[in-house]
Amino acid sequence: MVKVKVEYICLFRAMTGKWEDTIELGDPTLGGLAEELGRRYGEDFKKKLMDPGGTPMATKILVRKASQNWLAREPYHLNGWNTRLEEGDEVVLIRWFDRRIF
Amino acid sequence: MTFGWIGKILRVDLSDGIIKSEGLSEEAKLSYIGGRGLNAKILFEELDPGADPLGPENVLVFSTGPLVGTMFGGGRFHVSAKSPLSGIIGDGNGGGHWGPELKFAGYDGIIIKGKAERPTYLLIEDGRAELRDAGRLWGKTTWETEELIKRELGDRRLQIVSIGPAGEKLVKYAQVICNMSRSAGRGGMGAVMGSKNLKAIAVRGTGGIKLADPQKLMDMFSKVNEKLKPVYEEAWMVKGRPNCVWTSIGSNATVYSAYGTLGTRNYQSGEFEGIREISAELFREKYAVKPRGCHGCVVNCSQYYEIKDGPYAGTYGDAFETTQILCLGARLGIRDLEAILMLHSLTDQLGLEVIDLCGAIGFAMECYQRGILTERDADGLSLSWGDPEVVKTLIKKIAKREGIGDLLAEGVRHIASKLGRGSEAFAMHAKGLSFHGADYRGYQAWALSHAVSSCGSQHMRALPFGEAGMPPDKAERIFGSRAAADRLTPEGKGPMVAWYEDFRAVADSLVTCKFFPKVDEGAFDYLAAVLNAVTGLRMTGNELRKVGERVINIERCFNIKHAGLSRKDDTLPRRMLEEPLRGKGSEGQVVRLEPMLDQYYEARGWDVKTGIPKRAKLEELGLREAADELGIK
C-alpha cells in the first residue's frame, strides 16, 4: 500500500467539502487513485475526474512527486493514468471552467 | 451601410471646449478594427515624443469595437494614453455597460486632448455632447460620482466612467471605474483623466448596432449557449450557492499555490500559508451574493458580495477575483478574507488600480523588513506583513498623496530608484508596471510575455496558459513545438508568446472579452467568422491574426518613438532572473530569459540584437510610414 496526499480545488472542493485527503492505494497509479476516489465520492466524481475535456467544464490534474523535487506536472508530462505514485506523493485535483470553450 | 461599427468618433478639446464628430476611416477599421488597435494607431500618429503624460498634450482615447454591443463578449471598452507610470503606451480594458452605451449614443470612440480650466465632466446623449461643471463632484469617490450624476440628470440608466480622489491627485496608477467595480487602465489612465480635470464621462443612448448577418450570428450564439449548458448545470449552482465562472477563475489563486507560484510577501516565496483562508472557494461559500454580467453576456462572471457581520459588516462590492486575492492577500501577507474584501471595496471607490497599489505597498513592506525604510519614513507606521489596518491607512494616504503616500503613489520603479540600497533587485515590475501576483519563475512563457509586453508588466497581455495545460501534440500543431506546452523549459516559448499576444491584441481590438472566445486551435478563424457576421467583411483567420501583429508592432513603434526602448528594456527584476523560487511545485526555478528573447524576436521578424522591428516586417504590415519616422533602414 502507498499513501498519497490528494488536494481538492474549486468544484472538487465543493463536491468533497474538504481541502485534502490522505489516501492509501493498493494500485499506486493515477488510474488507481481515480478508482479509489470513485469508491469514496461516487461515480459522478470519478466521471468528472476522468473527463477528457472538450466541454466548458474541465478537470486539471497536477502530480507533485517527492522524487522529482515536488515539481507540479500535468499527467501528459508523466505517464498519463499509468503514472506511478510513490509514498508521500501529492496529487492536486481541480475542476473548473475551461475558458477555451467555443 | 456600416455594420458593426457606428462609424463616428467624438473629438474633445478640453482646453478650448470644442467638441466635434468625425468619421472613422475604412483604413482604420480594416487595419486596426477598433479598441486597443485603433487607440495605438491614434496615439502613434497624434502624440509627439516629448509629450508629458500628465500634460494637456497627452491624448486620452476611449474606444469600442465592432463586437461591442453584441452578445459576443461585447460589454467592454478600451482606454489608452501615454502612461505616467511607465512613460510608454498605457492602456486598459474594462467591462460593464459603458462601452455598449457609448455606441448606442452614436460613437465608436472618444479622443480627448487638452485640459479643462476647472473640474468638468463630459455628457454624451444620442449624438449630442457637452461639457458640464464637475465642481461638486471633485473629491468624491467613484461610487458617489456615479450616483450624483444620475441624480443630477434624473436618469438612472446613464452609464458613467469616472475617477476617484486618486485620479484627481494624479496617483500614477489611478484607474477609471464604471458600474461600481468595472475598472480599466493599467499605467494610470485615471491620473491622465485627472490631469485634464475630467472627472467623468456619462453616456446615454437609445440607438442600436446594425448587424450584417443577424441570423448567422444568432446561430453561432445558440451554439455557444448549448456549450454553456454544463456550466449552468455544474458550476453555477453548487449546493445552492452561486458559483459562477469567475469564482473558478478566482480559484486561480489556489491553483497558483498548487504550482508553488503564489507571489508571497513581495515574491519572497511561492507559498502562502494562509491561502485557504483567503481562497475563492471560501469566498463562494461565505460572501458571494449573486453573479453580475457585462452587457449582453450570458456568462455573468462578476461576483457581487456583502459582509453581513463582524468588524467589516456593511462592506459590499463587486468583481472580486484572483488578482485581489493575490495582491491584497498573499503579496501583503494578509490572511483575513473579510479584510481583503474591505480593502478591495475601498480601492474601487478611491479609483486605485490594485496591482500597482499592492506592488508599491508590498515593495515598501520588504524595504521595511530589510531596514531600508523605517517607521520614521512611514509616518510612524509599522509596515509589518499582514496587517490590514496598516494597509487601509496606506491606501488612504496614497489616494491623498499624504506623507509616505506621496512616495508610494509614484509606483514601485520610482520608489526603488529613490530608495536605492540594492532595492531595485526586488522591485517587482517590468517597465514600471508591477507584477499581478503570480510568480512567473514557474511559467517561462508567461515570464517572457511580461518582459516583452508593450505596456510593461501585464498578465493579460499574452496570458499563454497553453504552457501549463495544453497537450504537447496540440502545442506542436499550433506553436510548432511540443516543448511549448512545458512551463518549465524556455524551449518553444518565443513563437507561443507571439501567438498569444496576437490573439489578445485581436480580442482587445474587436473589442471582446478575453475569457469569452476560444483560445485554442482555430481561434483566429472563429473570431473572424464572428467579425464577418457582424460587419459583412470577408476576413480570414490569417488576416485577422495580421491585425493583431500590426497592433503589437505599432505599439512597439510607439515605445521606440517615445522612450527609445530596445532589447535591453525587455527584462525582469534580478529576483526573477537569479533568485531560485522557493515553492513546492516550482522549487528552484528562475526565468531563463535570454534564449526566449532570441526566439521571440525571431518569431516577430524583429532584429534579434536590438529588438527593433525590421523594415521588411513593418512594410509587410503596412507600417512603412512608422518605419520612416523611426529611421529604420
Side-chain angles (χ1 to χ4, degrees), chain A residues 5 7-11 13-17 19-20 48 54-57 60 62 64 69-74 76-77 90 92 94-97 99-102, chain B residues 224 227 231 234-235 238-239 243 245 248 251-252 254-255 258-259 276 279 281 284-285 468-470 472 485-488 515-519 584-587 589:
Chain A
K5 183 172 141 188
E7 291 182 20
Y8 307 105
I9 293 182
C10 202
L11 286 166
R13 146 89 184 165
M15 289 175 80
T16 61
W19 284 109
E20 62 185 55
K48 286 183 167 63
T55 69
M57 294 308 299
K60 183 180 182 71
L62 296 175
R64 294 190 298 239
N69 201 24
W70 302 106
L71 291 174
R73 306 297 279 160
E74 284 88 2
Y76 45 71
H77 290 305
E90 298 177 352
V92 183
I94 305 151
R95 179 75 178 166
W96 61 357
F97 181 81
R99 282 160 278 166
R100 294 163 295 163
I101 48 178
F102 310 125
Chain B
V224 169
K227 286 206 165 190
V231 181
E234 187 180 336
V238 177
K239 295 183 181 170
N243 181 45
V245 177
S248 301
S251 289
N252 278 344
T254 332
V255 175
Y259 276 111
R276 289 176 180 172
S279 65
E281 286 84 347
R284 179 189 71 77
E285 288 162 18
M470 183 178 280
D486 184 348
R487 69 188 174 95
L488 298 178
F515 293 127
F516 201 76
K518 176 178 179 174
V519 193
K584 191 191 251 187
S586 296
E587 188 71 33
Q589 300 299 308

Side-chain angles (χ1 to χ4, degrees), chain B residues 56-73:
Chain B
E57 63 270 31
N58 200 358
V59 180
L60 179 66
V61 193
F62 286 85
S63 72
T64 64
L67 265 53
V68 172
T70 73
M71 64 284 259
F72 276 88

Side-chain angles (χ1 to χ4, degrees), chain B residues 172-452:
Chain B
K172 295 276 176 71
Y173 41 84
Q175 62 179 352
V176 303
I177 299 271
C178 64
N179 301 113
M180 208 170 148
S181 291
R182 293 300 190 155
S183 57
R186 290 295 308 274
M189 298 303 99
V192 175
M193 249 177 104
S195 74
K196 295 182 178 305
N197 270 336
L198 183 62
K199 180 69 178 172
I201 305 172
V203 294
R204 179 78 178 100
T206 55
I209 296 153
K210 295 185 180 72
L211 302 174
D213 192 342
Q215 189 55 53
K216 183 166 185 194
L217 208 59
M218 190 54 80
D219 291 346
M220 292 176 87
F221 194 66
S222 298
K223 285 185 188 164
V224 169
N225 255 340
E226 196 59 36
K227 286 206 165 190
L228 278 169
K229 270 188 184 169
V231 181
Y232 289 109
E233 290 164 6
E234 187 180 336
W236 279 3
M237 292 301 286
V238 177
K239 295 183 181 170
R241 296 284 300 165
N243 181 45
C244 85
V245 177
W246 203 254
T247 308
S248 301
I249 294 168
S251 289
N252 278 344
T254 332
V255 175
Y256 296 149
S257 177
Y259 276 111
T261 56
L262 211 51
T264 302
R265 297 184 179 87
N266 199 40
Y267 291 81
Q268 294 185 83
S269 168
E271 292 178 41
F272 182 48
E273 65 283 2
I275 183 61
R276 289 176 180 172
E277 295 157 45
I278 62 169
S279 65
E281 286 84 347
L282 193 65
F283 169 79
R284 179 189 71 77
E285 288 162 18
K286 292 184 76 172
Y287 307 106
V289 175
K290 64 174 183 178
R292 304 205 313 173
C294 294
H295 169 90
C297 185
V298 292
V299 177
N300 284 281
C301 69
S302 183
Q303 286 280 4
Y304 177 78
Y305 61 83
E306 287 176 1
I307 299 176
K308 293 201 163 52
D309 42 41
Y312 304 116
T315 295
Y316 61 97
D318 200 0
F320 185 72
E321 42 100 0
T322 298
T323 300
Q324 285 79 39
I325 297 173
L326 298 176
C327 291
L328 292 163
R331 187 164 197 159
L332 305 183
I334 296 177
R335 52 193 300 176
D336 177 343
L337 184 53
E338 291 191 358
I340 290 170
L341 292 171
M342 174 274 293
L343 294 170
H344 171 236
S345 179
L346 181 64
T347 58
D348 281 345
Q349 293 177 62
L350 296 174
L352 283 162
E353 192 278 307
V354 76
I355 298 173
D356 283 294
L357 170 75
C358 295
I361 294 175
F363 176 70
M365 286 179 164
E366 186 168 350
C367 287
Y368 179 81
Q369 173 194 319
R370 294 176 186 279
I372 297 171
L373 267 179
T374 64
E375 279 183 24
R376 195 171 159 193
D377 301 320
D379 309 330
L381 291 168
S382 162
L383 301 186
S384 302
W385 300 105
D387 186 338
E389 287 303 318
V390 167
V391 173
K392 183 179 172 185
T393 304
L394 285 174
I395 288 173
K396 288 182 174 175
K397 280 176 172 285
I398 289 168
K400 293 179 189 164
R401 278 188 173 271
E402 193 180 272
I404 192 175
D406 193 40
L407 174 64
L408 300 187
E410 290 294 305
V412 67
R413 181 169 64 181
H414 177 89
I415 308 168
S417 70
K418 182 128 187 173
L419 296 178
R421 296 171 63 188
S423 64
E424 291 89 346
F426 56 85
M428 305 308 286
H429 71 92
K431 300 187 179 81
L433 267 65
S434 295
F435 298 140
H436 97 301
D439 198 315
Y440 314 117
R441 282 173 284 191
Y443 311 96
Q444 296 292 319
W446 212 4
L448 170 64
S449 78
H450 281 261
V452 298

